[in-house]
Amino acid sequence: MARFGLPALFCTLAAFSAALLAAEPKSKSCSEVRRLYVSKGFDKNDAPMHEINGDHLKICLQGYTCCSQEMEEKYSLQSKEDFKSVVSEQCNHLQAVFASRYKKFDEFFKELLENAEKSLNDMFVKTYGHLYMQNSELFKDLFEELKRYYVAGNVNLEEMLNDFWARLLERMFRLVNSQYHFTDEYLECVSKYTEQLKPFGDVPRKLKLQVTRAFVAARTFAQGLAVARDVVSKVSVVNPTTQCTHALVKMMYCSHCQGLVTVKPCYNYCSNIMRGCLANQGDLDLEWNNFIDAMLMVAERLEGPFNIESVMDPIDVKISDAIMNMQENSVQVSQKVFQGCGPPKPLPAGRISRSISEGTFSARFRPFHPEERPTTAAGTSLDRLVTDVKEKLKQAKKFWSSLPSSVCNDERMAAGNGNEDDCWNGKGKSRYLFAVTGNGLANQGNNPEVQVDTSKPDILILRQVMALRVMTSKMKNAYNGNDVDFFDISDESSGEGSGSGCVSQQCPSEFEYNATDHSGKSASDKASSAGVPAGAWPYLLTVFCILSLVMQREWR
């Protein structure tokens, strides 16, 4: 019996140690983890009261844990919703900025046109009376075409304005030569002399240049605000991949499984995961910045020579000046027309209308002074609108490349930059050692946290890149005063709706179980790094004891 004393004693000590080691993890309470889990609306029956063996875990670290399989699965779904919600919150503000500015600009431009038409009508009724009323449809058509251009864009402004002046010349020529009868063919001949005779002076040429440039710039700028709004709306709807979801669970909830309910993810750890999950959004940045620069260029034009307000406010005065110019030069104009088109046939004596020279068109509007320009539309002015939107455009630059950082700056998502040693690094409460990867899909090949397929760009993102590229080209044309054609890109589906906001994780007190050593690793981390789960040590000691007895028996 004596020779069996040492092995028996060893086995007894081993078994006793195994029992102590096996009992220790099970004695740890999971009450705080359970409380937070239930506070999210989950079933309390999913959450254990004490730590259990974690062999069932597929994403979080195995070993003794406070997470059941059901908890890990629900945390997986919750992390997706949290991520989608936080990204949506970041984008929703920008989308709201563009949506509100588009609405304000659109309202302003439409009201500006309404006010200009009303002002012209009021002044012309007062100045020209019945003669204007007889010909008012000519001016009504002008404003209808301007509105149609702004709304739909399918109007050639230059041709439309040429047609307006040609029709006005026909009406005026009849009025200043009311003693003659003119056929339609004769009036067509009169129109051919418009460029040569310049009956309205230089007003048509100047007004055509001003109206075309101002309307192109105004409409293009409003369209740009709408495109920006729609791009942000579509891109803000994120659907994380399986690999992204695994990384999100590991970052946001696996710490709970270890009882670290108040430890937030390390900032750089969060940054790597967000850059992986938002890799495609990062590829928007180049075209987005080009688009913003082009918008700012057109905004400068709207403040200066292409200011639609300074064009439309005095349009009644300018047209009146043109009419007065025609009246003053009517004799010379008529003589040259008669020489080129032939002498017209006189009307019978009883049908000769009263000449306009008797005073019908004798009134002239007062001179227009720009400093007298009132706040004409939508309770504001173009200058104030442009100044406001320029500031917002500058703030929106580099939005997509800074989105990962913006998400991680949310206190619900990560610890601050100054808390680098006491944060969750994916394995325990310790410093995160990996470098932060770059933005965009091409830089994700070496992302240490998220596996990203860099060979498959997102189709939705590519469509938005193209939309921005097309709009940028139109902005550059508008900046140069060139008319542009528009097409509708709003028919693309915006995808599913975004969440209303992340669920805030509020923990009343610090509550940690896994003590860390000086290297920042917990006991379970050391066991995992050695290739052995922490919960396996008691069983290994028991097996070792049995093997020792067998070997002792064989030796005997």
Side-chain angles (χ1 to χ4, degrees):
M1 294 291 293
R3 55 181 156 177
F4 291 105
L6 185 59
L9 179 60
F10 177 78
C11 287
T12 301
L13 290 172
F16 183 72
S17 299
L20 288 176
L21 288 170
E24 183 182 0
K26 291 183 179 178
S27 66
K28 290 184 178 179
S29 171
C30 296
S31 60
E32 190 65 11
V33 176
R34 180 185 172 97
R35 186 188 69 80
L36 287 174
Y37 181 77
V38 173
S39 71
K40 292 182 177 293
F42 297 134
D43 188 349
K44 65 179 181 181
N45 294 324
D46 295 341
M49 294 295 296
H50 298 276
E51 285 187 329
I52 59 174
N53 185 286
D55 292 345
H56 55 273
L57 297 179
K58 297 178 181 178
I59 302 173
C60 299
L61 291 173
Q62 294 183 340
Y64 274 83
T65 179
C66 283
C67 289
S68 64
Q69 182 177 347
E70 291 79 11
M71 289 175 70
E72 189 180 50
E73 291 171 355
K74 289 179 181 178
Y75 277 149
S76 179
L77 295 173
Q78 185 65 46
S79 64
K80 286 176 65 175
E81 292 305 313
D82 291 350
F83 168 68
K84 291 165 70 173
S85 179
V86 173
V87 172
S88 178
E89 284 180 14
Q90 294 292 331
C91 296
N92 282 349
H93 174 69
L94 185 63
Q95 181 192 354
V97 166
F98 283 113
S100 64
R101 269 54 184 188
Y102 168 74
K103 183 179 179 182
K104 198 69 175 176
F105 266 87
D106 186 61
E107 177 186 339
F108 174 82
F109 291 142
K110 288 177 180 176
E111 195 170 320
L112 182 68
L113 285 172
E114 294 287 345
N115 289 352
E117 182 177 12
K118 185 178 183 301
S119 176
L120 183 143
N121 184 72
D122 292 345
M123 287 184 168
F124 276 38
V125 167
K126 187 182 299 183
T127 306
Y128 305 119
H130 186 63
L131 264 177
Y132 166 70
M133 299 298 292
Q134 288 179 318
N135 297 278
S136 62
E137 82 281 356
L138 178 64
F139 301 93
K140 182 178 180 181
D141 290 345
L142 169 66
F143 283 97
E144 284 299 320
E145 289 296 289
L146 290 174
K147 291 174 191 174
R148 190 157 71 90
Y149 172 79
Y150 174 72
V151 172
N154 54 352
V155 175
N156 186 311
L157 288 175
E158 187 171 339
E159 289 182 4
M160 183 271 292
L161 289 168
N162 287 340
D163 182 62
F164 166 76
W165 291 111
R167 291 173 64 195
L168 183 60
L169 175 60
E170 291 179 8
R171 305 290 178 97
M172 288 291 299
F173 194 76
R174 274 178 169 160
L175 289 171
V176 298
N177 296 284
S178 56
Q179 69 273 31
Y180 296 106
H181 170 71
F182 298 103
T183 64
D184 291 340
E185 291 77 10
Y186 195 97
L187 291 174
E188 284 182 16
C189 179
V190 173
S191 298
K192 294 177 182 177
Y193 283 86
T194 304
E195 282 293 322
Q196 178 184 340
L197 299 176
K198 291 186 171 35
F200 299 111
D202 207 28
V203 173
R205 184 190 67 81
K206 288 182 178 179
L207 193 61
K208 181 166 62 177
L209 184 65
Q210 293 169 347
V211 166
T212 300
R213 288 181 171 181
F215 269 77
V216 168
R219 186 177 193 277
T220 307
F221 194 76
Q223 288 286 324
L225 292 172
V227 166
R229 173 202 65 196
D230 294 343
V231 167
V232 176
S233 174
K234 290 167 185 172
V235 177
S236 65
V237 181
V238 290
N239 292 297
T241 63
T242 301
Q243 292 78 9
C244 171
T245 301
H246 286 179
L248 290 169
V249 177
K250 191 176 177 183
M251 180 186 87
M252 300 169 73
Y253 291 109
C254 283
S255 57
H256 290 207
C257 298
Q258 294 190 21
L260 302 175
V261 293
T262 60
V263 180
K264 295 180 180 179
C266 299
Y267 184 84
N268 287 348
Y269 175 43
C270 174
S271 296
N272 270 336
I273 291 176
M274 291 306 146
R275 293 191 180 200
C277 292
L278 297 170
N280 287 292
Q281 282 76 4
D283 284 341
L284 269 175
D285 209 54
L286 177 62
E287 287 301 333
W288 176 262
N289 293 337
N290 291 338
F291 165 78
I292 295 294
D293 287 339
M295 287 282 287
L296 288 168
M297 287 168 57
V298 176
E300 294 288 344
R301 291 294 206 202
L302 286 174
E303 287 181 316
F306 298 177
N307 188 312
I308 192 172
E309 191 173 21
S310 65
V311 172
M312 292 309 297
D313 271 353
I315 195 169
D316 46 12
V317 178
K318 292 177 181 179
I319 293 176
S320 180
D321 284 344
I323 291 172
M324 294 302 170
N325 192 78
M326 169 65 183
Q327 182 186 359
E328 291 170 357
N329 298 295
S330 61
V331 175
Q332 298 94 314
V333 169
S334 297
Q335 288 176 349
K336 290 182 180 179
V337 170
F338 295 161
Q339 290 174 4
C341 298
K345 294 181 180 180
L347 284 171
R351 295 179 56 190
I352 296 177
S353 303
R354 186 176 4 169
S355 172
I356 64 166
S357 62
E358 294 178 28
T360 310
F361 277 11
S362 60
R364 182 184 290 273
F365 291 171
R366 65 181 175 81
F368 177 79
H369 299 290
E371 63 270 15
E372 296 176 6
R373 186 173 72 220
T375 297
T376 57
T380 186
S381 69
L382 185 63
D383 291 341
R384 286 194 287 271
L385 285 175
V386 172
T387 299
D388 169 68
V389 83
K390 278 171 62 179
E391 188 62 32
K392 298 298 186 292
L393 286 168
K394 291 173 184 177
Q395 293 171 5
K397 202 168 181 184
K398 297 183 179 180
F399 175 81
W400 301 108
S401 59
S402 63
L403 183 57
S405 298
S406 298
V407 171
C408 292
N409 283 331
D410 190 310
E411 62 180 8
R412 296 168 296 181
M413 298 299 290
N417 268 320
N419 189 16
E420 297 178 1
D421 293 319
D422 296 323
C423 53
W424 172 251
N425 65 8
K427 292 183 177 180
K429 182 183 177 184
S430 183
R431 177 181 286 267
Y432 182 72
L433 300 177
F434 291 102
V436 177
T437 190
N439 278 300
L441 195 62
N443 290 316
Q444 302 311 308
N446 296 320
N447 191 311
E449 305 302 335
V450 187
Q451 292 182 5
V452 181
D453 187 350
T454 58
S455 66
K456 293 182 180 179
D458 186 271
I459 297 300
L460 175 65
I461 298 296
L462 291 179
R463 286 178 180 171
Q464 305 317 306
V465 167
M466 184 55 65
L468 290 170
R469 191 171 295 167
V470 169
M471 199 65 229
T472 299
S473 176
K474 295 179 187 300
M475 286 287 170
K476 290 178 179 178
N477 281 328
Y479 175 80
N480 293 320
N482 301 324
D483 202 351
V484 289
D485 295 322
F486 290 90
F487 65 94
D488 187 11
I489 63 167
S490 61
D491 57 345
E492 297 174 10
S493 173
S494 62
E496 63 182 276
S498 57
S500 60
C502 254
V503 179
S504 180
Q505 301 173 16
Q506 297 179 349
C507 305
S509 60
E510 193 77 357
F511 193 69
E512 298 178 17
Y513 288 111
N514 293 357
T516 54
D517 62 12
H518 294 294
S519 66
K521 290 188 175 182
S522 65
S524 61
D525 285 341
K526 288 183 176 180
S528 298
S529 63
V532 182
W537 282 106
Y539 304 103
L540 288 175
L541 286 170
T542 303
V543 170
F544 181 75
C545 173
I546 294 171
L547 288 173
S548 177
L549 288 173
V550 171
M551 290 175 67
Q552 179 65 31
R553 183 178 295 275
E554 291 294 326
W555 179 258
R556 187 181 63 174

